[in-house]
Amino acid sequence: MGVITLEKKPVLTRRRFLGLSALSAAGLGLYAGEIARHEIDVVPLTIRIPGLPEVFRGFRLIQISDIHIMEFTEPSFLRLVLHQVNALKADLVVLTGDFVSYGPIQSKRAVQWAYECGQLLTHVHCQVRYAILGNHDGVVGQEAVTDALTTHGIPVLANESIPMEREGKRFWLAGTTDALEGKPKPDFVKAFPKTAKADGEPVILLAHEPDVAPEAAKHGYQLMLSGHTHGGQVRLPFVPPVYLPPLGKNYLAGHFQVGPMQLYVNRGIGAVGVPFRLNCPPEITVITLETA
């Protein structure tokens, strides 16, 4: 009769456990920084707008937000985003703030990057495109970032509105200054077109921080588009976001009803603080407008 030898099971020592944990953390960091941060999520959404003229049924609006060029969004990644935007054939492209970042870098470098971002955005094929600024843009330099965009053919709406017209019918696109760093502060009354209510014309508002939505809803806007939160950026299972910015705590991401007004919060393209995204991919929002 042969001798049966029992195979010894490996013992999970403290050293082995710490080593495996370190490898897992390194792998997660690599995934969040190099893969998840570059996985573009194209989010289709149909929004019904009360009072929208029939000629705008099926109007395609594309929103991108929070590019944060160079810290940490690479120009090559932004080009990829814009390639996808162009493939979607928008009627209107809106950019809802934070083209640059403030932080450990010198402000003058961020200003230079703002102009590089503006140059890259000229590759958007849609000729109808508008922007607002975000809080990072305000800290880096509101006038400089505005110039970087407008000199590259992207008008910046600052407490003002512009009509979108088809066959003698129209709706309005309005934009406010940034609620945290904008000068002057957001003015929802001034941004709202004077004739819109009397003529029954809907108004879509661009406002960077979503938590101003309850105030905006008091003034007759039908839809507000925001960014700012990055959707939480790093979303661990069963754990709330570790950090959400001021005026970005109540509406994390997605579609909301705020009183009589609809709100959509885009998760953004870039990252701040750390070059990671997890369970929260960069977003291109494709909104198809329909009559209510």
Side-chain angles (χ1 to χ4, degrees), residues 121-173:
L121 291 171
T122 63
H123 295 289
V124 174
H125 291 169
C126 179
Q127 295 302 304
V128 187
R129 51 200 182 193
Y130 289 91
I132 57 169
L133 299 189
N135 56 305
H136 283 255
D137 305 318
V139 174
V140 167
Q142 179 173 299
E143 294 79 9
V145 178
T146 298
D147 186 67
L149 295 170
T150 57
T151 56
H152 288 98
I154 303 170
V156 175
L157 298 176
N159 296 333
E160 57 191 314
S161 55
I162 190 87
M164 301 286 114
E165 297 181 317
R166 275 186 181 177
E167 300 177 19
K169 303 293 185 181
R170 64 188 181 184
F171 72 88
W172 293 82
L173 182 70

Side-chain angles (χ1 to χ4, degrees), residues 19-30:
L20 290 173
S21 298
L23 285 173
S24 297
L28 184 63
L30 180 64

Side-chain angles (χ1 to χ4, degrees), residues 57-182:
R57 181 187 290 273
F59 186 94
R60 180 171 285 192
L61 182 160
I62 291 181
Q63 179 193 9
I64 58 177
S65 194
D66 298 271
I67 294 171
H68 294 286
I69 193 71
M70 301 299 288
E71 195 186 5
F72 298 98
T73 299
E74 307 91 342
S76 59
F77 180 57
L78 180 55
R79 289 190 194 97
L80 179 60
V81 170
L82 299 181
H83 177 75
Q84 292 210 23
V85 167
N86 290 334
L88 294 165
K89 300 187 183 302
D91 296 299
L92 168 66
V93 173
V94 298
L95 304 108
T96 46
D98 278 358
F99 299 88
V100 292
S101 297
Y102 69 84
I105 60 168
Q106 292 181 340
S107 179
K108 64 180 181 181
R109 291 186 66 194
V111 168
Q112 176 188 344
W113 292 342
Y115 282 90
E116 293 180 20
C117 186
Q119 175 60 45
L120 288 166
L121 291 171
T122 63
H123 295 289
V124 174
H125 291 169
C126 179
Q127 295 302 304
V128 187
R129 51 200 182 193
Y130 289 91
I132 57 169
L133 299 189
N135 56 305
H136 283 255
D137 305 318
V139 174
V140 167
Q142 179 173 299
E143 294 79 9
V145 178
T146 298
D147 186 67
L149 295 170
T150 57
T151 56
H152 288 98
I154 303 170
V156 175
L157 298 176
N159 296 333
E160 57 191 314
S161 55
I162 190 87
M164 301 286 114
E165 297 181 317
R166 275 186 181 177
E167 300 177 19
K169 303 293 185 181
R170 64 188 181 184
F171 72 88
W172 293 82
L173 182 70
T176 54
T177 54
D178 183 73
L180 291 171
E181 301 292 341

